[in-house]
Amino acid sequence: MKIQDNILHGPSITEVPNISLGQHLFNCLHSYADQIVQVDIQTGKHYTCKDILEKSTILSVALRNYGINVEDRISVAAENHPHCMVSICSTLFIGATFAPLNPAYTEREFRHMLEIYQPRVLFVSRCTENILAKIASTVSWNMKLIELDDKPLDGNIITLDKVLEKYQSITNPYTFSPVQIDNNRERTAAILCSSGTTGFPKGVSLSHRNLLLFFQTVSLPDSMDIRRGDRILIFLPLFHGYAFGMMNVAISRGAAVYLIRNFKLETLLSSVEKYRITHTPLVPPVLVSLAKHPMVPNCDFSSVREMISGAAPLPLDVADEVKRRTKLKVIRNGYGMTELSIVSNMSDRTSNDNSIGPILPGFKCKVVDVETGDTLVAKQIGEVCLTGDQVMLGYFKNPKTTAETIDKENWLHTGDLGYFDEKGSLYITGRIKEIIKYKGFQVSPSEIEAVILSHPSVKDVAVVGKPDKLSGEIPMALVVRQPDKTISAKEIVDFANENLSPQKWLRGGVKFVEHIPKTPSGKIIRRELVNITAKL
C-alpha cells in the first residue's frame, strides 16, 4: 500500500479469468466434491459439495424449462434456510441474476422491491409464503413461487423437493455445463439490497468480476485467510452482502458454512464449541452482547482463528472486553459497503486501536472536504471515497441515484466521514447525514454511543440531534437498559459527560426505550428514530 498525492493505493490485484460466477462455483463444487460445505445447525444435517452440485444442476434444468434466460432475475425471501445455497448456485449456473429479499419486509417493502426486480421465480419459506402469495397474484408479470420447506401452507405452491424429484430423471450432473457469458465485467451476477438508511432500499448491481475479485481478496492470508476445511459460522441473514459473500467464499475455498437459521446468542456460543468454528463474522451488537453475557467466559473459543466485526462501527472498549472474556488476541475490523462488493478494508492482526486498516488490493481511496470536494491530507476528517475493481455496476434501474453516488471520475462517495494516518490506515468517525450540528461543531452520534455503551447497565443506545433554538441541535440519547438494571437518566448523562468534550454533552437528556431499530446487519435505522423521539 502506498500514498501518492494524498490518495491511498492498495496492492495490485491478481486478475481473475473471464468466466461467470456460476462457472466458478460449479468448478469448485466439482473440485471439493467430498468436502462438507454446509451444516444446518437446527437439524445437524450435513451437505457435501457433491450434494449441492447435484441438486443445483437438477434445479438449473428445471429453471431453464421454466424459460429463465441470462440476466432474468430469481429471488429468495426466506430465513437462513439450508436450501438457499442450492437456489443461489442454480441461479448462477444458468446465468440468471440472483436478487435476494429481506424476509422481514412489510407488504409495502416487498411490493416496492419486487416491482423493481420483477423476478421470474421467487423462492419462499413458510415464514414468507402467505404474504408473497398474496402479492404474486397481483403483479403484472409471470412470477412462479417455489416453497423451500417440505410442506407449503398452500397446496397449490410446489416445493423445491418436488421440483428436484420431477427433473432428477432427466438430469445428468456430470454432463451439465453452466451458461457462458461474454464479459464478466459488465454482466450482473447479483443484485443485493443496500441498507436503505434513506428512503426505500436500493438494489446494488454487482458483476461476476466484482464478486470473483471479492472471493479472491477476502481469502488471502492478510485478509480473512480462509482455507480448505475451515468452519465459518453464519447467523447473519443470507440476503445481506456480508453473509451472501461468506457463503460463496466457503464454496470457493472448500470451507464449510455452519448455518444458524434464527439467531440466539446461546446458539452461537454452543456452536462455536461443538463444531470447533474457525471464523466468526460478527456485527457490533453481537459483540456488545459477548462483552456482557455471563456465559461467555465459560465458552471455549480456542478454535477461532478469525473474529471479524463489520457492517457498523465497533467501539474499542467493547473489542477489548470481548478479547478479555474470550481469550482471543485479535478482533479485526472490516469495512465496506454492498456498493464496494462487500469489503474494502480490514485491520491487520497487530492493530490495537479502532482503525479499519489499509485498503485491500484493487482499491484506491481518498478523503475529501464535504463542502469543497478538495482532497484532504492525513489526519483531516472528510468524506471517504473509493474507486477500483470492486465498485458496483450501479443501482439497478436507478441511474439518478447511481450518478449521485459515483462521480464522473468513478469515485464512489460512501457518505462516511473519516481520515487516514501517515501509514495509510483508515478511521471512520461517522456518517455525513447523521452528524449533529451543535453551535457549528460537527458531533458524531456513534462516538457518543460508544461511550454510553461502555456502561455495564446499558444494553443498547442511539444518539439523535434534538432541535434547539440557541444551539441548532443538542445530543439526546435513547437508551435500552440491561435487564434488571435501574440506572437513571441522570447517571447516564453524568457518565457520558465525564468522558466527552463539552460540545458532545447530552444536553438533550436521556429517554429510555424498549429497543433500538436496526437493520439485520446491525446498523441503526436512523430515520425510524425520528418517529420514536416524536412519541416521547
Side-chain angles (χ1 to χ4, degrees):
M1 207 281 301
K2 64 179 181 178
I3 305 175
Q4 185 176 344
D5 298 327
N6 295 311
I7 294 176
L8 311 182
H9 295 252
S12 59
I13 61 167
T14 301
E15 191 50 78
V16 295
N18 183 30
I19 62 172
S20 71
L21 179 54
Q23 182 70 63
H24 169 76
L25 296 176
F26 184 85
N27 294 345
C28 293
L29 290 168
H30 259 295
S31 297
Y32 302 121
D34 295 327
Q35 192 86 31
I36 291 173
V37 71
Q38 182 175 262
V39 176
D40 177 15
I41 286 176
Q42 180 170 308
T43 63
K45 186 173 181 180
H46 292 58
Y47 301 80
T48 65
C49 287
K50 182 180 179 181
D51 295 331
I52 300 299
L53 179 63
E54 291 180 348
K55 289 181 179 180
S56 299
T57 52
I58 295 167
L59 183 55
S60 295
V61 171
L63 294 173
R64 284 177 176 171
N65 191 65
Y66 296 153
I68 307 300
N69 298 308
V70 171
E71 290 202 342
D72 277 341
R73 269 81 59 202
I74 293 177
S75 293
V76 176
E79 69 281 11
N80 282 6
H81 199 287
H83 288 333
C84 284
M85 185 178 283
V86 171
S87 68
I88 292 170
C89 291
S90 59
T91 298
L92 295 168
F93 285 0
I94 63 171
T97 298
F98 183 70
L101 296 165
N102 182 348
Y105 277 161
T106 62
E107 181 178 339
R108 172 173 168 268
E109 290 168 322
F110 271 130
R111 287 188 181 277
H112 173 78
M113 296 309 297
L114 287 170
E115 191 62 42
I116 294 173
Y117 290 170
Q118 297 195 357
R120 296 282 309 284
V121 173
L122 174 57
F123 292 95
V124 300
S125 71
R126 289 169 67 93
C127 295
T128 58
E129 182 188 317
N130 280 338
I131 187 172
L132 288 167
K134 174 185 174 183
I135 295 170
S137 66
T138 66
V139 299
S140 59
W141 67 97
N142 183 28
M143 182 172 70
K144 184 177 183 65
L145 298 190
I146 298 177
E147 171 64 66
L148 294 175
D149 284 311
D150 296 339
K151 292 183 179 180
L153 299 172
D154 181 342
N156 294 318
I157 296 176
I158 193 168
T159 65
L160 177 60
D161 285 343
K162 291 293 185 183
V163 173
L164 297 176
E165 182 182 319
K166 179 178 178 180
Y167 286 89
Q168 184 173 12
S169 61
I170 61 172
T171 305
N172 185 341
Y174 302 99
T175 59
F176 176 90
S177 295
V179 168
Q180 300 303 306
I181 60 172
D182 48 2
N183 188 338
N184 69 5
R185 292 173 177 263
E186 298 176 358
R187 290 282 189 180
T188 301
I191 307 171
L192 304 177
C193 288
S194 70
S195 299
T197 53
T198 56
F200 276 113
K202 298 173 285 293
V204 176
S205 294
L206 299 178
S207 72
H208 294 262
R209 183 171 180 268
N210 282 155
L211 290 165
L212 288 170
L213 286 170
F214 163 74
F215 301 159
Q216 173 180 276
T217 300
V218 80
S219 302
L220 293 171
D222 287 342
S223 187
M224 290 189 73
D225 189 22
I226 297 173
R227 312 167 192 168
R228 183 170 182 171
D230 279 344
R231 298 170 296 281
I232 306 169
L233 189 65
I234 297 290
F235 65 88
L236 300 165
L238 291 176
F239 69 85
H240 189 272
Y242 195 175
F244 170 79
M246 294 312 302
M247 172 171 277
N248 284 279
V249 167
I251 298 172
S252 298
R253 302 296 292 177
V257 166
Y258 286 74
L259 201 61
I260 295 178
R261 299 197 194 191
N262 298 294
F263 175 72
K264 291 182 179 179
L265 188 67
E266 293 79 6
T267 305
L268 183 150
L269 295 175
S270 62
S271 299
V272 167
E273 284 193 333
K274 179 177 179 179
Y275 296 109
R276 305 298 292 162
I277 297 297
T278 62
H279 290 70
T280 55
L282 304 177
V283 290
V286 174
L287 283 151
V288 169
S289 296
L290 291 176
K292 299 181 178 185
H293 197 285
M295 283 179 60
V296 173
N298 299 319
C299 180
D300 180 7
F301 282 84
S302 61
S303 63
V304 176
R305 201 167 73 244
E306 295 283 359
M307 182 174 280
I308 308 287
S309 175
L314 174 66
L316 186 59
D317 60 328
V318 171
D320 288 341
E321 179 63 7
V322 174
K323 284 189 287 187
R324 185 186 72 80
R325 302 179 98 222
T326 61
K327 300 180 176 61
L328 292 175
K329 293 181 179 179
V330 179
I331 297 174
R332 301 175 70 195
N333 268 321
Y335 171 79
M337 302 169 64
T338 310
E339 291 85 342
L340 296 169
S341 302
I342 305 166
V343 66
S344 63
N345 293 67
M346 192 166 293
S347 63
D348 64 39
R349 296 180 179 88
T350 62
S351 177
N352 58 2
D353 60 13
N354 59 353
S355 160
I356 56 169
I359 53 175
L360 295 175
F363 282 106
K364 290 192 287 187
C365 176
K366 64 179 179 179
V367 176
V368 302
D369 186 283
V370 174
E371 302 295 333
T372 67
D374 293 340
T375 301
L376 301 176
V377 302
K379 300 291 181 72
Q380 290 186 321
I381 295 176
E383 183 179 16
V384 176
C385 300
L386 291 109
T387 189
D389 300 273
Q390 285 182 210
V391 172
M392 67 174 177
L393 294 175
Y395 293 114
F396 187 64
K397 294 184 180 178
N398 197 339
K400 180 177 182 292
T401 307
T402 300
E404 292 169 353
T405 305
I406 302 176
D407 64 28
K408 293 179 180 178
E409 296 178 343
N410 209 39
W411 286 95
L412 186 142
H413 292 249
T414 65
D416 287 324
L417 292 170
Y419 66 91
F420 62 92
D421 63 19
E422 293 83 355
K423 295 180 180 179
S425 286
L426 196 63
Y427 297 77
I428 301 298
T429 60
R431 289 281 295 171
I432 291 173
K433 292 182 179 179
E434 295 169 4
I435 290 299
I436 297 169
K437 294 290 185 72
Y438 170 76
K439 290 187 175 180
F441 288 100
Q442 293 194 20
V443 177
S444 169
S446 60
E447 181 183 359
I448 304 173
E449 288 160 359
V451 170
I452 298 172
L453 262 181
S454 68
H455 196 289
S457 295
V458 172
K459 181 179 180 181
D460 206 354
V461 62
V463 171
V464 298
K466 181 179 179 180
D468 183 82
K469 288 183 179 180
L470 293 177
S471 305
E473 290 180 309
I474 51 178
M476 178 177 76
L478 306 177
V479 173
V480 180
R481 292 186 181 98
Q482 285 282 10
D484 304 321
K485 298 293 183 180
T486 57
I487 188 170
S488 68
K490 183 179 184 303
E491 287 176 290
I492 292 174
V493 170
D494 291 344
F495 176 79
N497 292 356
E498 286 172 6
N499 292 281
L500 294 164
S501 52
Q503 69 268 24
K504 301 170 188 173
W505 286 355
L506 289 176
R507 302 175 193 275
V510 168
K511 300 292 184 183
F512 291 105
V513 295
E514 294 297 318
H515 77 285
I516 303 298
K518 293 186 177 181
T519 69
S521 65
K523 293 180 183 177
I524 296 171
I525 305 175
R526 301 281 173 181
R527 67 177 183 273
E528 291 190 14
L529 299 180
V530 176
N531 298 328
I532 293 175
T533 54
K535 296 175 182 177
L536 295 175

